[in-house]
Amino acid sequence: MKLNIVQNAKRNMIWGLAERIIVTFLPFVVRTLFINILGSEILGLNGLFTSIFNILNIAELGFSNAVIYNMYKPIAENDTDKVCALMKFYKTIYRVIGLTVWGIGLLLIPFLPKLINGSVPEGYNLYVLYLINLFNTGIGYFLFAYKTCLLYVHQRNDIKSRLSVLMNILTSLLQISILLTIKNYYIYVCVIPVITIISNIINATIVTKMYPQYKCRGSLSKDDLKGIKKNVLGLLVGKVCMVSRNSFDNIFLSAFLGLTTVAMYNNYYYIMSSIIAILALVHSAINAGVGNRVALNSVEQNHKDFQTVTFLYMWISGWCTVCMLCLYQPFMQLWVGEKLMFPFMIVVQLCCYFYSLTMGDMRSIYSNSSGLFWQGRFYVIVEAILNIVLNYFLGKRFGVRGIIAATNLTILFVNFIWGSLILYKYYFVNMDVKRYFLSHTLYACVTAVISVITYSTTCLINLDGFGGLITKGIICLVIPNVCYYFAYRKNQFFSDSLKLVKRIIAR
């Protein structure tokens, strides 16, 4: 089967962008009402549950991607029997995962009070709320979730994005109505599993109508099962550290400092994750051609391209870091008020968190395109374990500052440095990794200096409120980019990055 790649890519891009806007904006509105109506403690409890179930869902991470990968070839060759066998296998494993999530989730019930420093907000039963969220986490595995893989392999992500947009709008409208009228958290929470059930049924109906030839039947060979197992393990370890970062942060914050602190931390993290989601559009623009270039071009040429996209990306990332440093507190003051704001030094730590996290983004794209999943299995496991250990000791000693410091240390020294060494050891074999590290040191130093200059300038603005935020925003738009231009205009990758931007826009 030959897919219309260009048409599908356009649809996926348009609806993917629409989904990202809706998923970012509407939850922000809901979160704002939630804080003002139900309070920060309930919001913190909601964040704690989300973190727990993100960890339980590790069982699924990697498996769906491995099955999807194994479907590409049989669908291209019109091997319907093989696809049907994969579907049956996928369905069976998903039910096992669902039962596992529910089983482990039930075993955690006796330990819930120990994960909260203080008491549950008055009028709410911790166990009832937990069971509602647990039901929502597991029910999707039993209601045709396995059929979604057919949309991905046929490059029809736009169908899922359209449904996601519709369901997010419906969910947000229902939750906003509940917050404004009934003001009951139990009913607010019950909306989520109801929407999950409706969404899965609609999705399954659409997929069955589009691809009626694929039914759950047949069985896979031992070689097929062996290949899936290896891919699952390779992909799983790469996902574990991603889940361990914010999820364990919330759990330790709740255990050491209480639900209000979790809510405050998640408010700040929500802003940062929204910026990361926007940067994901840059990933997509660059990622589209990296795999093809890795397959066709020489290692030397790909290394030059790698340095160019890294230079461009760190300019963008650095600018976002400066904006966060200067605008975080004015925005949070307008949004949640001073009572739910952290000290400025924690904002500095969060900016370092964001910047250190983005330092490895381009390296990750080239590592994945080079197929280095298995070679990188150890460093991501070490990162996850070290993050948990440091979260415990530093979080217990220094609170929020210790939790963020633990994440920063593991990202920088394990994810970035070790991950980069693996890329240069197995793909950029004859290239100098020291120059790569020196380049990043230069980018970080330049960003630090520009941050100080821009922040000092915004401090001269005595205007408060929305007007002050807009004024400081204009300063953050102009000063950092002018400074970056003068700092980098003679850099060898500056002209190459301009050419790259023009190619991306043209495409």
Side-chain angles (χ1 to χ4, degrees):
M1 179 184 296
K2 186 176 181 180
L3 302 177
N4 189 331
I5 296 176
V6 175
Q7 183 179 352
N8 289 343
K10 288 180 179 179
R11 278 195 297 239
N12 292 341
M13 182 179 66
I14 292 170
W15 282 101
L17 179 60
E19 180 185 18
R20 184 151 294 165
I21 293 171
I22 294 296
V23 168
T24 300
F25 177 71
L26 286 181
F28 174 79
V29 176
V30 174
R31 192 178 188 89
T32 303
L33 288 173
F34 196 112
I35 294 170
N36 289 303
I37 295 173
L38 295 181
S40 57
E41 282 194 332
I42 299 295
L43 182 63
L45 184 63
N46 195 66
L48 175 63
F49 287 156
T50 300
S51 298
I52 293 172
F53 297 126
N54 280 342
I55 294 171
L56 290 180
N57 276 324
I58 287 179
E60 190 272 339
L61 292 174
F63 178 76
S64 58
N65 288 339
V67 173
I68 289 169
Y69 174 79
N70 281 273
M71 279 187 176
Y72 284 124
K73 185 177 179 181
I75 282 181
E77 296 175 349
N78 291 318
D79 188 350
T80 303
D81 291 337
K82 180 70 172 291
V83 176
C84 290
L86 284 166
M87 290 283 291
K88 182 182 177 182
F89 177 69
Y90 198 7
K91 178 181 178 181
T92 302
I93 295 297
Y94 250 38
R95 289 184 173 179
V96 172
I97 293 173
L99 289 173
T100 303
V101 167
W102 277 346
I104 297 175
L106 290 173
L107 292 175
L108 290 176
I109 288 178
F111 303 98
L112 288 178
K114 296 181 179 180
L115 297 179
I116 300 174
N117 186 310
S119 59
V120 178
E122 187 177 351
Y124 292 99
N125 187 298
L126 174 65
Y127 303 104
V128 172
L129 293 171
Y130 177 81
L131 288 172
I132 295 172
N133 281 276
L134 179 60
F135 173 77
N136 176 66
T137 303
I139 190 62
Y141 292 111
F142 297 93
L143 290 177
F144 319 109
Y146 62 91
K147 291 193 174 186
T148 304
C149 63
L150 291 174
L151 296 177
Y152 286 112
V153 293
H154 285 90
Q155 222 184 349
R156 291 307 308 271
N157 309 44
D158 64 294
I159 300 295
K160 188 174 183 301
S161 294
R162 293 180 194 190
L163 182 60
S164 176
V165 167
L166 178 63
M167 291 296 106
N168 270 283
I169 292 174
L170 179 60
T171 302
S172 297
L173 289 177
L174 286 173
Q175 290 178 333
I176 289 171
S177 300
I178 292 168
L179 290 172
L180 292 175
T181 56
I182 305 173
K183 301 179 182 179
N184 187 293
Y185 183 53
Y186 288 111
I187 299 176
Y188 175 94
V189 172
C190 286
V191 167
I192 301 173
V194 171
I195 294 297
T196 297
I197 294 170
I198 294 173
S199 178
N200 279 35
I201 292 174
I202 294 175
N203 185 72
T205 304
I206 293 172
V207 172
T208 302
K209 186 175 181 180
M210 292 178 66
Y211 310 108
Q213 69 272 33
Y214 300 125
K215 302 183 183 299
C216 295
R217 56 181 172 81
S219 58
L220 296 172
S221 67
K222 291 184 179 180
D223 289 338
D224 289 330
L225 292 174
K226 185 178 179 181
I228 291 174
K229 181 180 178 180
K230 184 175 181 180
N231 286 332
V232 167
L233 291 174
L235 290 165
L236 177 61
V237 294
K239 300 291 184 180
V240 168
C241 69
M242 294 172 58
V243 174
S244 71
R245 285 173 191 153
N246 191 54
S247 296
F248 279 108
D249 288 355
N250 281 334
I251 291 173
F252 283 112
L253 283 170
S254 175
F256 294 147
L257 300 170
L259 296 174
T260 300
T261 304
V262 174
M264 293 168 64
Y265 179 79
N266 280 338
N267 288 339
Y268 280 83
Y269 188 83
Y270 180 84
I271 302 302
M272 185 172 76
S273 62
S274 298
I275 298 172
I276 292 173
I278 295 172
L279 284 181
L281 298 175
V282 180
H283 300 181
S284 300
I286 295 175
N287 196 30
V290 169
N292 181 262
R293 288 176 176 272
V294 167
L296 298 177
N297 292 353
S298 66
V299 175
E300 290 75 15
Q301 180 59 48
N302 286 326
H303 185 253
K304 183 180 179 182
D305 291 341
F306 171 62
Q307 291 175 301
T308 301
V309 296
T310 298
F311 168 81
L312 176 62
Y313 189 75
M314 295 319 298
W315 181 321
I316 298 172
S317 170
W319 173 63
C320 291
T321 303
V322 176
C323 291
M324 288 171 61
L325 182 71
C326 300
L327 303 178
Y328 237 140
Q329 295 295 68
F331 179 81
M332 297 303 289
Q333 187 172 19
L334 280 173
W335 182 28
V336 297
E338 291 185 3
K339 290 183 179 180
L340 294 179
M341 288 173 60
F342 284 134
F344 179 70
M345 285 310 299
I346 291 181
V347 171
V348 174
Q349 282 187 287
L350 285 168
C351 292
C352 293
Y353 178 1
F354 171 82
Y355 188 83
S356 60
L357 188 63
T358 57
M359 284 171 65
D361 284 349
M362 292 301 105
R363 183 262 305 157
S364 179
I365 289 176
Y366 273 81
S367 293
N368 293 340
S369 299
S370 305
L372 301 180
F373 301 107
W374 192 246
Q375 289 83 349
R377 66 193 182 279
F378 291 119
Y379 89 83
V380 293
I381 294 175
V382 171
E383 180 186 355
I385 295 174
L386 186 60
N387 185 46
I388 294 171
V389 173
L390 290 177
N391 266 338
Y392 176 79
F393 287 104
L394 295 181
K396 194 172 185 179
R397 177 68 177 84
F398 300 105
V400 179
R401 291 176 298 163
I403 295 288
I404 301 174
T407 305
N408 281 335
L409 289 171
T410 51
I411 289 175
L412 180 61
F413 290 102
V414 182
N415 185 286
F416 174 68
I417 294 180
W418 193 351
S420 300
L421 289 172
I422 289 173
L423 177 62
Y424 275 80
K425 179 179 179 180
Y426 291 101
Y427 184 65
F428 295 133
V429 179
N430 296 318
M431 309 302 164
D432 188 1
V433 69
K434 292 180 182 178
R435 290 192 63 186
Y436 174 69
F437 288 140
L438 286 173
S439 295
H440 266 289
T441 302
L442 171 65
Y443 302 151
C445 290
V446 170
T447 297
V449 172
I450 293 175
S451 297
V452 172
I453 294 172
T454 310
Y455 179 75
S456 300
T457 305
T458 58
C459 287
L460 299 176
I461 305 299
N462 294 320
L463 189 62
D464 293 326
F466 187 73
L469 181 66
I470 294 298
T471 305
K472 292 178 181 179
I474 294 173
I475 291 173
C476 290
L477 178 64
V478 176
I479 291 181
N481 288 301
V482 171
C483 291
Y484 275 124
Y485 170 76
F486 283 105
Y488 292 143
R489 68 188 189 281
K490 295 182 180 180
N491 188 292
Q492 59 178 322
F493 302 115
F494 180 75
S495 59
D496 291 338
S497 64
L498 289 179
K499 295 176 183 177
L500 175 63
V501 171
K502 291 178 181 178
R503 287 204 309 268
I504 293 172
I505 293 174
R507 184 169 60 199

